[in-house]
Amino acid sequence: MELDGMLGEHASIEVQHDEKAMDGCYLAWTKPMDTFLLEVLREQQLKGLKGDSGFQASAYRKAMEEINTKFNLKINKEKIQNRLKTLKDIMNLTLDALKKSGLTWSESTKKVQAGPAVWDDLIKANPKMRRIRDKEICNFSLLCDIFEKNRASGSTAKTCKERLQQWEAEALTINDVDRLQEENVVILDNFDNLTGDTQNGVANGASSSSKTTKRSSKLGVKRKFDEVESRSATIQRQYDEGLMIVRDSLSEIGRQLAVANEYFLKSNTRVYTPEEIYAEVQKLELSDDNMLGVVDLLMFDNKKAGSFFGCPDELKGRWLQRNGF
């Protein structure tokens, strides 16, 4: 089973206890583990090791090696894929929820926000939405960077170029309009003439033909107008869809540029080794429990590690107090 909610500071939105690691122990996925796994996979994606069908085998091997080394685990590719499936389910539920009226995303709380009544209606329509109600979704942006594009990559998905080609193929020319009008007049003339002949006889055929031609011409123009109006509405709807595709594509480009920039900054950021962290923390004469707690914090959060190492020695004690030690 999967448990919703948090398990302390490092818990993610859903923590799995139903999988056994390779050594036979049950595996609990924590928030730092999720974040680390996704960051490794995003780096593999930037290296071109992810296609429409998913990550290449070498990307999974790299993720498996990195996470096992980082957290002293012995998990395999299958466990990583199962965890990713859970995380992608959460992402898809969140994206679907945000399409609904009355639901918004809060970047500060990392939650989908809505009133109780809105949530109740949403869960009534889709009980799976309980999984994200009032839950912190810490890696939502990271998940979207990696996986959101796949939601639109099915057999029915169309590129902007394909949309434009479709519109060109369906465009109604002036000749088409004239042809439709001409065909409608002919068809209506024949029908009205036949009716006139039946009602008024052969003797009045010439007069009846003149009148019905005028009536059929008006009807032909109206049918042409209705036809053009319908086609115009279709083209406008397809044009609006195309604009949405372009907007989403530009948004994806911006998001990927941000990912690349973050990767560049990360690759040029100093990463402190466990030995360096232990050596620096031991200078503070902390209790064993506090020392281990500080080391865990600095290992999981490289930004805080940089802040700690950059802090003057006389202020390090105050720094620890501000961070709960």
Side-chain angles (χ1 to χ4, degrees), residues 40-285:
V40 172
L41 289 175
R42 183 169 63 179
E43 291 178 5
Q44 299 304 300
Q45 179 187 32
L46 292 174
K47 293 178 180 179
L49 298 178
K50 179 179 181 294
D52 293 338
S53 60
F55 284 99
Q56 297 180 17
S58 59
Y60 282 116
R61 283 197 299 271
K62 180 66 173 175
M64 186 173 63
E65 293 170 1
E66 292 282 345
I67 198 168
N68 283 335
T69 301
K70 177 74 172 179
F71 297 97
N72 193 25
L73 298 171
K74 295 180 180 179
I75 61 176
N76 55 24
K77 175 184 175 181
E78 181 183 0
K79 301 300 183 288
I80 290 177
Q81 290 177 319
N82 288 341
R83 184 55 178 168
L84 289 178
K85 181 179 183 304
T86 297
L87 295 176
K88 286 191 288 185
D89 288 345
I90 294 299
M91 179 198 72
N92 289 330
L93 285 172
T94 304
L95 290 172
D96 291 341
L98 293 176
K99 294 179 182 178
K100 308 296 183 182
S101 176
L103 291 101
T104 58
W105 173 255
S106 172
E107 186 62 28
S108 59
T109 63
K110 306 292 185 184
K111 295 180 180 180
V112 177
Q113 293 189 329
V118 175
W119 273 119
D120 291 342
D121 291 342
L122 186 64
I123 291 173
K124 184 178 181 181
N126 183 0
K128 291 183 179 180
M129 289 294 177
R130 290 192 183 93
R131 299 173 68 184
I132 64 171
R133 180 173 185 171
D134 299 324
K135 299 296 192 305
E136 183 183 15
I137 310 170
C138 302
N139 296 304
F140 178 59
S141 177
L142 189 54
L143 284 164
C144 290
D145 288 340
I146 300 173
F147 296 112
E148 184 180 7
K149 182 181 178 182
N150 293 98
R151 284 166 57 92
S153 60
S155 60
T156 60
K158 295 183 179 179
T159 64
C160 293
K161 182 178 179 180
E162 289 171 336
R163 291 284 187 184
L164 291 173
Q165 290 174 341
Q166 176 185 351
W167 300 338
E168 285 182 346
E170 294 183 353
L172 193 65
T173 66
I174 296 298
N175 292 333
D176 291 332
V177 174
D178 292 339
R179 178 179 54 78
L180 287 171
Q181 179 182 3
E182 182 179 359
E183 289 174 353
N184 286 337
V185 171
V186 170
I187 293 171
L188 288 171
D189 276 349
N190 292 340
F191 178 78
D192 286 341
N193 286 341
L194 185 60
T195 304
D197 289 342
T198 302
Q199 292 177 346
N200 301 318
V202 176
N204 297 327
S207 175
S208 174
S209 176
S210 175
K211 293 179 181 179
T212 55
T213 298
K214 293 180 181 179
R215 286 198 305 270
S216 62
S217 295
K218 293 180 180 179
L219 290 172
V221 171
K222 183 178 184 303
R223 289 187 62 181
K224 177 199 72 174
F225 176 80
D226 292 342
E227 177 76 12
V228 172
E229 187 177 50
S230 175
R231 296 291 296 275
S232 297
T234 300
I235 293 173
Q236 181 63 46
R237 183 175 66 254
Q238 294 172 338
Y239 176 76
D240 292 340
E241 292 176 356
L243 287 180
M244 292 181 63
I245 293 173
V246 172
R247 183 199 65 188
D248 293 343
S249 298
L250 291 175
S251 176
E252 175 67 17
I253 291 172
R255 191 159 49 234
Q256 291 300 327
L257 287 175
V259 170
N261 183 62
E262 183 179 343
Y263 175 69
F264 174 78
L265 293 175
K266 181 178 178 181
S267 64
N268 289 274
T269 301
R270 169 71 187 279
V271 177
Y272 294 91
T273 65
E275 292 77 11
E276 291 176 315
I277 293 174
Y278 273 108
E280 191 67 20
V281 173
Q282 283 178 337
K283 297 177 183 179
L284 302 178
E285 298 181 356

